[in-house]
Amino acid sequence: MATIRLDEKMMECAVFGGAVLGGGGGGWIEEGLQIGRLALELGQPELRTIDEFADDETLVAVSLVGAPGAKDKFLKPIHYAKSLDMLARALNRPISAIHTNENGAGTTVNGWLQSVMTGIPLVDFACNGRAHPTGTMGAMNLTEVSGYVSHQTAVGGKDDNYLEFSISGSLGKAASLIRQASVEAGGLVAVARNPVSAAYARQNGAPGAISQAMGVGEALLGAKGEAAIDAVVSKLGGKVVASGEVTDFTIETTGGFDVGTVMIDGFEMTFWNEYMTLEKGGERYATFPDLMMTLDAKTARPVVTAALEKGQQLAVIVVPKEKLLLSSTMSNEKLLSSVEGIIQKPVLKYLF
């Protein structure tokens, strides 16, 4: 596949398709469009396939960490570039390419701005082809690599909340401290982290994730209303499970995450930034990392968990995990076990 020169139509498809693949998380559509447009004003980013890079070349993930619903979050484009510059200076080898940690409305275009500002190429790849709540879930199973040293940087906040943070250490500790940094910064930070070889990335991440998001977005934006919803589930091999009014909704921002439940058409959905479970009458219909997403029933616009409100008319779609481009972390029982303690529901027995 040849290098793709990204334009505004591709960017919009990436944002809206990413919003679907975000599964309730992955940032806001408006912010994704803003960053994407700014990147295109500064230049024309190019998207390269991972096969264009030698096995030993270094790839670095760029991401946002925190709670999209946090009221005091503050993040500007300069923060994105600053975190990457801090990581580049901490490493003793060149960065060959950058990529996002996950698909989402904001996260699918992670790296576009950094690429045009620094000249470092973008790769059509994500640590995970859908959004996930924790840093370790987006770390391509580096938690299982003995002796791996995680290098991570974070920048965000304003005034007294502004911080620049750099850490090197075990992946779990580094991810936890980056998450805490997001809380101290007001809820959200721009992060660069976890350099790996292209060979390792190919084996443990999601090659083609950005192209997939653009394809989903093209399906969504190419139709209207119910037809657009049908086009999306057809593209992904999923189905519409429910459609109706949001009758109950709770959300709490805690520890840098949005956690809560929503009732739609008699179905209960739990979320930890992203939707984790879908149930009705004691029957489990989907369990993370299956993709569950809410879309406006009339306009088909994706609705993230932080934007839920009582009275909304929403459609709920489900795409089985087997149909997604997923990281090796999404079959790591140890990492997925953390979901149960947050949402207070069984997960592992539905997955393993």
Side-chain angles (χ1 to χ4, degrees):
M1 178 179 174
T3 298
I4 300 173
R5 291 179 62 83
L6 298 164
D7 59 26
E8 184 159 359
K9 181 179 179 181
M10 293 175 183
M11 182 274 293
E12 291 177 354
C13 288
V15 169
F16 279 89
V20 173
L21 291 165
W28 299 83
I29 290 173
E30 293 78 7
E31 293 176 356
L33 292 172
Q34 181 183 33
I35 290 297
R37 286 171 181 147
L38 180 56
L40 292 170
E41 287 175 8
L42 295 175
Q44 189 170 29
E46 295 183 347
L47 189 67
R48 303 184 185 179
T49 66
I50 198 168
D51 292 335
E52 295 182 50
F53 298 92
D55 285 352
D56 61 352
E57 290 192 82
T58 298
L59 275 55
V60 163
V62 292
S63 64
L64 304 181
V65 171
K71 295 179 180 179
D72 295 327
K73 69 180 186 296
F74 185 83
L75 207 57
K76 292 297 181 182
I78 190 62
H79 298 153
Y80 292 64
K82 180 69 173 178
S83 63
L84 182 60
D85 179 64
M86 289 170 57
L87 183 64
R89 286 188 278 112
L91 300 177
N92 292 320
R93 58 190 186 277
I95 298 173
S96 296
I98 55 178
H99 59 84
T100 186
N101 63 312
E102 65 185 15
N103 267 321
T107 53
T108 296
V109 294
N110 265 343
W112 294 33
L113 184 61
Q114 293 95 318
S115 182
V116 296
M117 292 178 75
T118 66
I120 299 174
L122 273 173
V123 60
D124 186 4
F125 175 88
C127 296
N128 193 12
R130 59 147 302 146
H132 50 261
T134 70
T136 50
M137 288 180 185
M140 295 183 286
N141 257 0
L142 290 169
T143 52
E144 311 307 309
V145 177
S146 178
Y148 178 79
V149 176
S150 175
H151 302 282
Q152 305 197 25
T153 57
V155 180
K158 68 175 178 178
D159 300 330
D160 289 344
N161 286 341
Y162 178 78
L163 59 79
E164 298 176 4
F165 183 73
S166 178
I167 184 169
S168 298
S170 71
L171 197 143
K173 291 291 186 182
S176 177
L177 288 170
I178 288 287
R179 176 65 60 175
Q180 185 59 37
S182 77
V183 176
E184 297 294 331
L188 204 61
V189 287
V191 174
R193 60 186 175 190
N194 297 339
V196 297
S197 69
Y200 186 90
R202 273 192 289 268
Q203 185 175 356
N204 290 279
I210 309 307
S211 291
Q212 184 183 55
M214 289 192 291
V216 173
E218 186 176 16
L220 178 70
L221 297 175
K224 295 182 179 180
E226 291 184 6
I229 297 173
D230 290 341
V232 166
V233 295
S234 177
K235 180 73 175 179
L236 287 170
K239 61 182 178 180
V240 179
V241 174
S243 185
E245 182 180 352
V246 174
T247 55
D248 196 18
F249 168 61
T250 64
I251 186 172
E252 179 182 4
T253 299
T254 177
F257 296 96
D258 292 334
V259 180
T261 61
V262 60
M263 296 293 299
I264 302 171
D265 191 28
F267 286 82
E268 181 195 63
M269 304 178 76
T270 63
F271 58 88
W272 181 19
N273 279 13
E274 290 75 27
Y275 290 113
M276 295 287 124
T277 60
L278 175 66
E279 296 177 319
K280 185 176 185 180
E283 181 179 355
R284 180 69 61 87
Y285 285 77
T287 303
F288 179 88
D290 292 336
L291 181 71
M292 294 153 271
M293 187 56 188
T294 42
L295 297 90
D296 186 287
K298 293 183 178 179
T299 67
R301 185 180 178 88
V303 178
V304 298
T305 56
L308 290 167
E309 296 178 358
K310 286 185 180 180
Q312 291 171 323
Q313 295 289 326
L314 302 179
V316 179
I317 67 170
V318 170
V319 181
K321 60 183 182 294
E322 293 79 11
K323 301 291 183 69
L324 303 170
L325 300 176
L326 297 179
S327 168
S328 55
T329 58
M330 295 292 93
S331 57
N332 185 323
E333 186 171 349
K334 180 172 63 178
L335 295 181
L336 293 173
S337 66
S338 60
V339 177
E340 296 187 335
I342 299 295
I343 65 170
Q344 298 296 303
K345 286 182 178 290
V347 167
L348 297 183
K349 74 175 187 179
Y350 294 98
L351 302 176
F352 299 100

